[in-house]
Every structure is written in structure tokens, then in C-alpha cells.
């Protein structure tokens, strides 16, 4: 999978883990999910999408975001800013 450059605004389609308690087995399956945010970090087995980035934090900013395993990602597309 080819990823956009760091800090690009992206639309990510991925499959999220779903936990259930006292539910029918037939209802247990991952949930398709869409996330929009900035590609903040790329590692060998996951990416981090920041949905908010707080200013004034230097080289290690504080974010609201999501770490998504590469194996869960269906697509990543760069959005125009």
C-alpha cells in the first residue's frame, strides 16, 4: 500500500475490532470505519491519524487520533486542503 506524505490530510477506510458481551456469535464481526485526519506517523505495522493537533507542543505534539494496524486498512487517500 502506498501512503501519502506525512502531515497530508487523509481519508482512511479500515476495519475496526469490535468487542461484544453476551451477544449472538453471528453478530460478531469487525466494523468498517472511515476516519479523516492528518497522517501523523508511519511505522512498519501501523499508522497514526491525528484528528486534532494541539499547537505549542514542539517536536512531540499532543493529538487526538487513532493508531491503525496496516492489516486493517482498506484504503488511504490524500484529500485536498
Amino acid at each position: 500500500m502506498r501512503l501519502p506524505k506525512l502531515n497530508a490530510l487523509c481519508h482512511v477506510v479500515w476495519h475496526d475490532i469490535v468487542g461484544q458481551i453476551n451477544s449472538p456469535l453471528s453478530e460478531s464481526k469487525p466494523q468498517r470505519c472511515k476516519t479523516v485526519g492528518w497522517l501523523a506517523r508511519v511505522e512498519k505495522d501501523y499508522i497514526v491519524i491525528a484528528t486534532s493537533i494541539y499547537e505549542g507542543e514542539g517536536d512531540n505534539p499532543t493529538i487526538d487520533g487513532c493508531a491503525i494496524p496496516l492489516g486493517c486498512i482498506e484504503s488511504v487517500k490524500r484529500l485536498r486542503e
Side-chain angles (χ1 to χ4, degrees):
M1 166 187 342
R2 185 176 171 150
L3 295 171
K5 292 182 181 180
L6 280 178
N7 301 315
L9 183 61
C10 299
H11 177 267
V12 184
V13 179
W14 57 290
H15 296 267
D16 197 5
I17 296 165
V18 174
Q20 295 175 287
I21 297 173
N22 198 21
S23 298
L25 177 61
S26 61
E27 294 178 7
S28 296
K29 62 181 179 179
Q31 180 65 48
R32 191 166 186 257
C33 182
K34 297 175 184 177
T35 299
V36 174
W38 293 270
L39 182 60
R41 188 168 157 195
V42 176
E43 297 294 336
K44 69 175 186 168
D45 54 351
Y46 68 94
I47 63 171
V48 177
I49 299 294
T51 55
S52 294
I53 303 170
Y54 298 92
E55 295 182 357
E57 300 297 330
D59 291 338
N60 192 22
T62 300
I63 68 164
D64 294 339
C66 191
I68 306 171
L70 293 179
C72 295
I73 296 173
E74 186 176 312
S75 66
V76 179
K77 294 183 181 171
R78 182 180 178 273
L79 299 175
R80 295 181 188 183
E81 292 189 64

